[in-house]
């Protein structure tokens, strides 16, 4: 029998040969428009800090004062003694922000998705997901022991056909609001109508929409004007636009009470540090009040797309801050991202299995923290490396 290391080494070698090997960079600065890596300053086009809040001084001050009040750790899970008044206050603020009766905090988006899906469906039920949903939703579906199916990306007819075939008593349809690797937006009002027609429940993961879409940053449900009845389960994350950490789900009283009782990833884990909740409360205030951040971000998105078309980039159909540039060839994706690094620009090199085979891409993320000039520098660099 081969040893553990010999077996694993073979798999690592294979991954490297396929140009799919992943490496971490060690960032010496905080998250902002410029990152310092190995002593080099790089313009940061790979964070999900869409509103430029991850380094905001008021949010940092709220975190520090939270530490002064509550210390560093929550010390226990929410159901034991880890649930502080700071968590309670933030949940009330998130309920108000989303216009929903209640909200519940989770320690991360990954855990929220695992917990929500598993609390709502089990054996003999159906969970039906967009094929490009985030890994945490797909993993949650697999773990649930429900009949787990995927429908073609944003295909209403395929969704409809699969719902028609099911006789399960509980049916859960799950979609990303904004798709994380493509940047496109789910046709949510159509999806919600189809779900309602088949008495299926609809869950939306709006990790990339909250803060960015909608007149007050309420995300995809605000943008598409959808009520609680149409999207009963709304999940959002706090590590992206909010610039802090954690996640939430917003919905009815009964939904939240049920998740507190049955979501295992809520129950069996240490509560977020209360100071993080304090920071997120400060962030929520800025996120809703400072409309200029969304306006500026939209200016940058338009500028990038217009410039990208002029230099012949293979852009995707995205109006969001996620702007992928298709390269297709995985070795070439790596090569180009390295050449961009040499020019002082950092972008994500996204390859399978994160995206389907043959669709390797640069994933460019714009932020309200960027200047127009930085976007122009990006375009110039992309042109000069022949992306
Ligand atoms: C980032 C992300 C998550 C995971 O959230 P974390 O808080 O980072 O664990 C879940 N869903 C989507 C669509 C995401 O983009």
């Amino acid at each position: 029998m081969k040893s553990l290391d010999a077996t694993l080494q073979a798999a690592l070698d294979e991954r490297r040969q396929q140009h799919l090997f992943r490496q971490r960079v060690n960032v010496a600065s905080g998250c902002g428009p410029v990152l310092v890596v190995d002593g080099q300053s790089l313009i940061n086009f790979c964070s999900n800090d869409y509103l430029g809040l991850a380094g905001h001084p008021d949010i940092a001050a709220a975190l520090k004062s939270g530490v002064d009040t509550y210390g560093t750790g929550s010390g226990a899970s929410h159901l034991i003694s880890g649930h502080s008044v700071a968590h309670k206050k933030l949940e009330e603020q998130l309920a108000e922000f989303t216009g929903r009766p209640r909200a519940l905090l989770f320690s991360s988006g990954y855990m929220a998705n695992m917990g929500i899906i598993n609390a709502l469906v089990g054996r003999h039920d159906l969970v039906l997901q967009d094929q490009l949903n985030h890994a945490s939703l797909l993993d949650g579906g697999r773990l649930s022991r429900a009949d787990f199916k995927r429908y073609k990306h944003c295909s209403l007819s395929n969704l409809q056909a699969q719902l028609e075939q099911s006789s399960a008593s509980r049916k859960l349809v799950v979609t990303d609001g904004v798709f994380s690797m493509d940047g496109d937006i789910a046709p949510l009002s159509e999806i919600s109508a189809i779900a309602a027609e088949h008495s299926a429940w609809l869950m939306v993961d709006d990790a990339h929409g909250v803060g960015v879409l909608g007149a007050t940053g309420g995300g995809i449900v605000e943008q598409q004007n959808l009520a609680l009845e149409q999207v009963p389960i709304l999940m959002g994350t706090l590590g992206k636009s909010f610039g802090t950490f954690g996640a939430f789900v917003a919905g009815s009283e009964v939904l939240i009470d049920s998740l507190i009782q049955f979501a295992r990833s809520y129950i069996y884990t240490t509560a977020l540090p209360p100071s993080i909740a304090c920071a997120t409360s400060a962030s929520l205030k800025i996120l809703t009040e400072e409309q200029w951040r969304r306006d500026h971000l939209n200016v940058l998105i338009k500028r990038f797309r217009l410039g990208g078309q002029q230099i012949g980039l293979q852009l995707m159909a995205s109006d969001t801050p996620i702007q992928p540039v298709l390269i297709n060839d995985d070795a070439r994706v790596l090569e180009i991202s390295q050449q961009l690094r040499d020019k002082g620009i950092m972008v994500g090199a996204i390859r399978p299995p994160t995206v389907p085979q043959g669709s390797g891409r640069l994933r460019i993320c714009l932020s309200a923290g960027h200047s127009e000039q930085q976007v122009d520098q990006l375009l110039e660099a992309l042109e000069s490396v022949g992306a």
Side-chain angles (χ1 to χ4, degrees):
M1 202 181 74
K2 271 215 258 173
S3 75
L4 172 69
D5 279 4
T7 308
L8 297 182
Q9 190 61 53
L12 287 175
D13 292 345
E14 189 186 343
R15 178 164 271 229
R16 209 184 286 271
Q17 252 168 17
Q18 297 167 328
H19 309 288
L20 299 180
F21 198 78
R22 270 108 154 134
Q23 271 169 308
R24 301 170 302 173
V25 296
N26 302 312
V27 180
S29 58
C31 175
V34 173
L35 296 177
V36 178
V37 177
D38 299 333
Q40 189 192 5
S41 291
L42 300 169
I43 310 178
N44 171 15
F45 288 105
C46 49
S47 294
N48 304 309
D49 180 26
Y50 301 121
L51 298 179
L53 295 179
H56 196 291
D58 293 358
I59 302 174
L63 184 105
K64 287 179 195 156
S65 118
V67 171
D68 289 342
T69 309
Y70 298 102
T72 50
S74 65
S77 65
H78 283 281
L79 297 191
I80 305 299
S81 64
H83 189 66
S84 75
V85 296
H87 296 112
K88 177 175 186 285
K89 181 173 154 213
L90 175 59
E91 288 182 343
E92 289 166 358
Q93 291 168 332
L94 288 167
E96 197 194 334
F97 168 62
T98 55
R100 289 167 175 247
R102 294 265 302 271
L104 182 71
L105 283 173
F106 277 82
S107 295
S108 78
Y110 192 102
M111 292 169 75
N113 285 338
M114 297 293 270
I116 297 163
I117 294 171
N118 282 274
L120 299 181
V121 291
R123 221 188 277 282
H124 309 306
D125 299 328
L126 172 72
V127 56
L128 191 50
Q129 302 204 18
D130 189 292
Q131 65 180 11
L132 295 188
N133 273 357
H134 190 264
S136 56
L137 294 169
L138 302 175
D139 292 355
R142 284 192 195 102
L143 188 72
S144 71
R145 297 190 288 178
D147 187 14
F148 172 52
K149 298 239 163 72
R150 301 208 240 177
Y151 59 93
K152 291 198 187 99
H153 180 50
C154 291
S155 166
L156 301 173
S157 57
N158 193 227
L159 168 65
Q160 173 114 25
Q162 296 207 46
L163 280 171
E164 265 156 24
Q165 278 168 17
S166 171
S167 56
S169 58
R170 290 183 178 201
K171 296 185 278 269
L172 179 65
V173 173
V174 186
T175 182
D176 278 17
V178 174
F179 288 87
S180 45
M181 296 301 138
D182 292 44
D184 56 337
I185 300 175
L188 207 51
S189 56
E190 291 85 351
I191 291 174
S192 83
I194 292 170
E197 203 179 302
H198 294 86
S199 307
W201 306 332
L202 177 57
M203 169 177 176
V204 174
D205 172 344
D206 206 21
H208 301 278
V210 171
V212 170
L213 302 178
T216 65
I220 188 169
V221 293
E222 184 182 26
Q223 184 201 46
Q224 299 189 18
N225 200 16
L226 295 166
L228 176 70
E229 295 67 35
Q230 292 161 295
V231 180
I233 308 145
L234 175 66
M235 176 273 191
T237 61
L238 304 171
K240 291 175 176 136
S241 287
F242 279 83
T244 60
F245 193 73
F248 67 94
V249 55
S252 68
E253 295 276 353
V254 177
L255 174 72
I256 301 305
D257 280 340
S258 303
L259 294 176
I260 294 171
Q261 299 303 317
F262 299 115
R264 294 168 62 84
S265 63
Y266 181 76
I267 301 166
Y268 298 107
T269 197
T270 300
L272 273 180
S275 58
I276 298 285
C278 298
T280 306
S281 289
S283 169
L284 177 61
K285 186 168 169 2
I286 299 169
L287 177 146
T288 45
E289 287 176 0
E290 296 191 359
Q291 180 58 33
W292 68 263
R293 292 179 186 273
R294 277 177 287 282
D295 295 342
H296 179 58
L297 182 57
N298 284 316
V299 166
L300 298 180
I301 293 168
K302 292 211 177 72
R303 190 177 185 93
F304 175 76
R305 289 190 66 82
L306 188 66
Q309 277 153 13
Q310 282 165 359
I311 61 172
L313 295 181
Q314 221 183 323
L315 298 174
M316 294 180 73
S318 163
D319 297 320
T320 66
I322 301 169
Q323 289 292 328
V325 175
L326 275 175
I327 304 295
N328 307 114
D329 178 74
D330 298 328
R332 186 84 183 111
V333 175
L334 270 188
E335 190 183 28
I336 292 181
S337 71
Q338 184 55 52
Q339 288 167 343
L340 290 171
R341 274 278 286 281
D342 297 340
K343 291 178 178 299
I345 284 176
M346 190 149 155
V347 301
I350 309 291
R351 292 154 287 154
T354 307
V355 292
Q357 282 297 335
S359 72
R361 65 197 66 176
L362 305 172
R363 179 175 180 268
I364 289 159
C365 287
L366 299 170
S367 164
H370 291 130
S371 64
E372 294 184 34
Q373 192 212 342
Q374 285 171 325
V375 171
D376 293 345
Q377 274 174 268
L378 168 66
L379 287 163
E380 270 164 42
L382 284 166
E383 186 176 24
S384 75
V385 301

